[in-house]
Amino acid sequence: QVQLVESGGGLVQAGGSLRLSCVASARIFSASAMAWYRQTPGKRSEMIAGNLATANSVRGRIIFTSDNAKNTAYLHMNSLKQEGTGVYYCNARKVRSSREYWGQGTQVTVSS
């Protein structure tokens, strides 16, 4: 079962912008903390931003937003750098049970 569906990834030049979307079911989205993670081959996933925190490395350039009516979380990325390249995953964590759900990821490639 696909619990979360990400979209919006693609190829973008350094300095450009991109918006990622994560659509979840109402059952999963409700009472959940949402966040975006980025994974680079050979490295562990890094939390980028969510409704609870934002990584220091992207603060000021990447903004998390959500639309409860649409059960959707967004990641607005500006001034993208090459190190921003990776697969971005959407994560939902139930506040009460702490159960987590993951999307299949969307590839972001930042070129020079």
Side-chain angles (χ1 to χ4, degrees), residues 20 33-40 43-59 61-65 73-75 77 83-84 87-93 100-102:
L20 306 183
M34 305 295 297
W36 288 90
Y37 288 75
R38 180 181 67 217
Q39 182 166 40
T40 300
K43 298 177 61 180
R44 61 188 300 174
S45 296
E46 175 186 11
M47 195 280 289
I48 302 303
N51 57 0
L52 297 179
T54 299
N56 291 333
S57 61
V58 302
R59 188 168 291 121
R61 298 187 296 106
I62 296 181
I63 301 172
F64 173 92
T65 64
Y74 303 94
L75 191 68
M77 303 188 291
E83 49 262 46
V87 180
Y88 287 72
Y89 295 90
C90 182
N91 170 264
R93 186 181 78 253
E100 295 189 349
Y101 301 86
W102 293 90

Side-chain angles (χ1 to χ4, degrees), residues 6-111:
E6 303 100 330
S7 63
L11 176 65
V12 63
Q13 291 191 65
S17 301
L18 212 58
R19 187 189 74 168
L20 306 183
S21 299
C22 171
V23 180
S25 67
R27 179 182 66 83
I28 294 176
F29 195 86
S30 63
S32 294
M34 305 295 297
W36 288 90
Y37 288 75
R38 180 181 67 217
Q39 182 166 40
T40 300
K43 298 177 61 180
R44 61 188 300 174
S45 296
E46 175 186 11
M47 195 280 289
I48 302 303
N51 57 0
L52 297 179
T54 299
N56 291 333
S57 61
V58 302
R59 188 168 291 121
R61 298 187 296 106
I62 296 181
I63 301 172
F64 173 92
T65 64
S66 62
D67 186 334
N68 293 340
K70 297 181 178 180
N71 297 317
T72 302
Y74 303 94
L75 191 68
H76 306 265
M77 303 188 291
N78 302 309
S79 301
L80 282 163
K81 302 176 180 180
Q82 283 190 294
E83 49 262 46
T85 293
V87 180
Y88 287 72
Y89 295 90
C90 182
N91 170 264
R93 186 181 78 253
K94 285 288 187 178
V95 174
R96 303 189 72 177
S97 68
S98 294
R99 181 173 181 177
E100 295 189 349
Y101 301 86
W102 293 90
Q104 293 182 313
T106 183
Q107 175 73 43
V108 172
T109 302
V110 184
S111 66

